[in-house]
Amino acid sequence: MEYVSTRGGDLRADFRRVVLSGLAENGGLYVPARLPLFTEKQIASWSWLPFDELVWRVISPFVGTTMDEGTLRALLSDSYRAFRHRAITPLEQIGHNEWILQLFHGPTGSSKDFAAQLQARLVGHFLQELDKDAWVIGATNGDTGLAALQAFADCPAVRMAILYPRDGLAPGQLAALQAADPQRVKLLAVEGNFDDCQTLVARLLREWPADAPVPVCFNSTNWIGVLAQIVFYFYAALQLGGGSRPVGFSIPAASSAEIYAGYIAQKMGLPINQVIISTNRNDALHQFFHCNRYSTRRTDRTVSPAMDFSLFCNLERFIWEVYEHDGAATRALMEQFERHGEMSIGNPQWLRGRLLFDSYAVDEAQVRDEVVALFRETGSAIDPHTAVGVLAGRLHRRSLGAPMVTFGQIAPGKSAALLAELGVWSASVPPTPTVSAQPPYLAKGDLQGLLQALQLTPSRLA
């Protein structure tokens, strides 16, 4: 299996190089040069498989010859060892042909655990093989950083740098990050929002000093952030239709990796008839797929804070797909977006994407109402992010005959205070943790300050 860059060129990489990366050398994102394709008969034959065996069937073609089968199987199985449900991703029925795929049974109660646990094991394996050290770097608005921190805790060859918006984390999330060992983990508050943190990380990876340890990004610019989530679609479709019945999905847009993974799963042969991109009032992705207009904008704080941003890195991979792997066109569009903060794509390419993707934006009142209504009608408490997806899936589905699956990305207990306020949470609400004084923050775009904080020499900077 070879990987190429979304921004073209003659660059070729194997799976190991892709795992141990932030961005491709020309600033693009790594993507498979070709996708494995499974027949309906092959997929249907997997319906009885346990989760870790299904993961191996889906993921192993992307690994190629960089790892032997026994080692890969062991790493995959170990990635789910800390999950608290024997089904790993259980399905919960909430209505006629309506389901929630519970992705929050990992060690930090978020779907981010899937990519983080797999990435930590792959990175640790390849670093040991090469006898190298690495910086694992990324931006977080809460769950992504916590999942990465937990997953890499036992990886001695790794130091971590976690950027977060100075005023954008819940006290519990910030306190958990601050509990990390400061000798291994560098926390960096950034003036601005999550988009500003992501932009600064991308600049750092593009200007990474040549003589520094290997840079690895824990955000989904790294291909593992997508790869780990393709399995969600296969698992749900096999449980509900044996791999031959069309299934629809509603994805709360806290992760563009999950959305792009749905596109990949469909291209691999899975009968997906619809993917709904479900947003809160921070609706940059909805505007793109609904109106072909994408722009970064000021984001508002909502009751679904993991969705409060507008910069979606995996949109670059999607653009590369709909432009039929034209790296030059993708580079031109992305560089225009990076300069001006807005973008539209060609109408034929946009219509090609609309064949699979729909979108829907849900306002704050609707989110609260859906949490309460679902609890009254089913007895299930869901977090507000899941409520966004459930409502969008119900209102915007194309077929009542096809199951509609919403990704439940965050454990309800992480929104206990809001759920208690709405009368749908009977357990005690944990007290607000004490947060330590925050260190001096980085200004927006302060790459020099970031390099200095990490004690890196800016050897490649002009």
Side-chain angles (χ1 to χ4, degrees), residues 171-255:
Q173 294 171 326
L174 182 54
L177 289 174
Q178 289 178 337
D181 178 4
Q183 298 302 313
R184 292 190 62 245
V185 180
K186 188 75 174 178
L187 295 181
L188 297 154
V190 177
E191 179 68 13
N193 58 25
F194 179 54
D195 293 340
D196 297 311
C197 297
Q198 292 197 94
T199 300
L200 192 52
V201 169
R203 287 192 61 200
L204 174 65
L205 293 172
R206 290 192 175 104
E207 302 290 352
W208 189 257
D211 57 349
V214 176
V216 179
C217 186
F218 66 71
N219 296 120
S220 59
T221 52
N222 189 291
W223 170 249
I224 302 305
V226 176
L227 181 61
Q229 301 179 91
I230 297 172
V231 183
F232 301 163
Y233 293 88
F234 278 87
Y235 180 83
L238 286 164
Q239 295 298 304
L240 296 174
S244 58
R245 181 187 185 190
V247 178
F249 293 87
S250 178
I251 315 301
S255 169

Side-chain angles (χ1 to χ4, degrees), residues 233 251 253 255-264 275 277 285 289 357:
Y233 293 88
I251 315 301
S255 169
S256 57
E258 290 178 350
I259 296 164
Y260 179 65
Y263 181 88
I264 296 297
V275 174
I277 298 166
L285 268 189
F289 283 98
F357 290 108

Side-chain angles (χ1 to χ4, degrees), residues 4-301:
V4 297
S5 170
T6 53
R7 301 195 182 188
D10 297 327
L11 184 65
R12 292 290 187 273
D14 64 9
F15 184 70
R16 181 172 65 185
R17 184 174 172 188
V18 169
V19 169
L20 298 179
S21 72
L23 300 172
E25 290 178 6
N26 62 4
L29 306 184
Y30 281 119
V31 282
R34 59 175 178 78
L35 292 174
L37 179 63
F38 303 119
T39 66
E40 180 181 322
K41 184 177 179 180
Q42 282 178 298
I43 294 171
S45 72
W46 299 345
S47 59
W48 61 273
L49 296 177
F51 189 83
D52 58 350
E53 178 67 20
L54 175 63
V55 172
W56 182 79
R57 300 291 179 99
V58 173
I59 286 180
S60 58
F62 293 94
V63 177
T65 59
T66 57
M67 190 181 299
D68 65 81
E69 179 180 333
T71 301
L72 178 60
R73 282 183 178 275
L75 289 175
L76 292 175
S77 294
D78 193 54
S79 297
Y80 308 108
R81 177 173 47 82
F83 283 67
R84 295 181 293 270
H85 197 292
R86 65 169 61 182
I88 311 298
T89 58
L91 280 158
E92 176 189 12
Q93 187 169 13
I94 56 170
H96 175 65
N97 253 351
E98 292 182 68
W99 306 79
I100 292 173
L101 184 67
Q102 296 180 349
L103 301 174
F104 48 73
H105 293 286
T108 71
S110 145
S111 63
K112 307 296 185 184
D113 287 320
F114 285 89
Q117 294 291 319
L118 176 59
Q119 184 182 34
R121 284 155 179 81
L122 291 170
V123 168
H125 171 80
F126 288 131
L127 289 178
Q128 184 178 37
E129 196 173 72
L130 297 173
D131 192 25
K132 288 187 175 183
D133 296 329
W135 270 104
V136 172
I137 303 162
T140 186
N141 55 359
D143 290 318
T144 307
L146 291 172
L149 187 63
Q150 197 281 337
F152 282 96
D154 297 323
C155 194
V158 160
R159 293 186 68 194
M160 299 189 71
I162 301 176
L163 281 67
Y164 66 93
R166 185 175 66 140
D167 299 318
L169 295 190
Q173 294 171 326
L174 182 54
L177 289 174
Q178 289 178 337
D181 178 4
Q183 298 302 313
R184 292 190 62 245
V185 180
K186 188 75 174 178
L187 295 181
L188 297 154
V190 177
E191 179 68 13
N193 58 25
F194 179 54
D195 293 340
D196 297 311
C197 297
Q198 292 197 94
T199 300
L200 192 52
V201 169
R203 287 192 61 200
L204 174 65
L205 293 172
R206 290 192 175 104
E207 302 290 352
W208 189 257
D211 57 349
V214 176
V216 179
C217 186
F218 66 71
N219 296 120
S220 59
T221 52
N222 189 291
W223 170 249
I224 302 305
V226 176
L227 181 61
Q229 301 179 91
I230 297 172
V231 183
F232 301 163
Y233 293 88
F234 278 87
Y235 180 83
L238 286 164
Q239 295 298 304
L240 296 174
S244 58
R245 181 187 185 190
V247 178
F249 293 87
S250 178
I251 315 301
S255 169
S256 57
E258 290 178 350
I259 296 164
Y260 179 65
Y263 181 88
I264 296 297
Q266 194 255 5
K267 296 277 285 184
M268 291 169 67
L270 199 66
I272 297 174
N273 74 331
Q274 183 182 19
V275 174
I276 301 172
I277 298 166
S278 314
T279 75
N280 59 17
R281 70 183 183 210
N282 295 307
D283 63 348
L285 268 189
H286 169 61
Q287 292 299 325
F288 177 70
F289 283 98
H290 188 65
C291 306
N292 192 14
R293 184 174 62 252
Y294 178 57
S295 66
T296 55
R297 59 186 72 191
R298 175 181 164 275
T299 54
D300 298 323
R301 293 192 179 186

Side-chain angles (χ1 to χ4, degrees), residues 390-411:
V390 168
L391 184 61
R394 183 177 304 126
L395 295 178
H396 213 55
R397 62 194 300 182
R398 296 179 185 177
S399 170
L400 294 176
M404 174 56 65
V405 180
T406 295
F407 281 5
Q409 297 164 325
I410 299 175

